Amino acid sequence: MDNRREMDQELILKALKARENAYVPYSKFAVGAAVRTKSGEIFDGCNIENISYSATVCAERTAIFSAVSKGNRQFTRIAVAGGDEGKEPGDFCVPCGVCLQVMSEFCGPDFEILLVKSEKEVKRYTLKDLLPVVFDSLKR
Ligand code: THU
């Protein structure tokens, strides 16, 4: 296995593992995410729900905000795994529009998004595949 594959495998396993901490009493849908910084570090996160539903945070944002809060602003890829709590993911979980918007704040169009059904079943996209046009009117 080459180094790139090994590094992706590590990210995939971290996303699957992060799912275990998902706090999902309302949806029972557990998501884990792991993002790799340009310097090679991994930050992971899970979804955290709230009885006031709109206060819920997705796994992708938990992972990215954790990284940013430690001083990281450049990322190469994220792995995402989601499915019914207590089971292996039954399908590929696609990041929501809000999380794609957050990715677009810090990541370029070629940022890679790995959708993980299992260790061996992974679909690869780029940010520009999933969010081809983006709000950037405040950029000067
Ligand atoms: N969710 C994520 O954490 N990431 C996604 O990519 C999609 C949705 C969460 C939000 C909520 O806790 C649950 O999954 C059901 O929408």
Side-chain angles (χ1 to χ4, degrees):
M1 218 190 315
D2 61 30
N3 194 249
R4 162 83 185 274
R5 270 184 94 85
E6 257 173 48
M7 282 176 71
D8 281 354
Q9 208 57 26
E10 187 188 9
L11 200 68
I12 287 161
L13 290 175
K14 287 252 162 97
L16 286 165
K17 184 81 186 155
R19 272 190 82 215
E20 293 171 16
N21 290 327
Y23 174 73
V24 289
Y26 307 104
S27 74
K28 319 267 190 223
F29 190 84
V31 186
V35 67
R36 191 177 287 280
T37 67
K38 231 174 200 159
S39 61
E41 267 185 282
I42 294 177
F43 290 82
D44 58 29
C46 57
N47 53 335
I48 303 168
E49 298 190 341
N50 192 279
I51 195 162
S52 177
Y53 291 179
S54 65
T56 291
V57 183
C58 292
E60 297 89 324
R61 275 176 287 150
T62 307
I64 292 169
F65 292 161
S66 168
V68 172
S69 69
K70 294 291 178 206
N72 301 281
R73 294 183 183 175
Q74 292 190 301
F75 305 102
T76 58
R77 49 179 59 72
I78 191 167
V80 183
D84 292 344
E85 188 181 26
K87 297 184 188 164
E88 299 302 310
D91 208 344
F92 297 97
C93 174
V94 181
C96 78
V98 174
C99 289
L100 293 172
Q101 181 67 34
V102 167
M103 290 174 203
S104 79
E105 185 72 26
F106 298 104
C107 311
D110 296 324
F111 176 70
E112 288 188 72
I113 300 171
L114 280 54
L115 308 187
V116 179
K117 191 172 159 191
S118 71
E119 215 181 308
K120 300 247 164 331
E121 296 167 287
V122 178
K123 280 189 187 173
R124 290 169 178 272
Y125 293 92
T126 61
L127 183 54
K128 70 174 176 299
D129 292 330
L130 301 185
L131 192 68
V133 285
V134 62
F135 173 71
D136 64 357
S137 305
L138 293 178
K139 283 198 180 143
R140 317 215 189 272

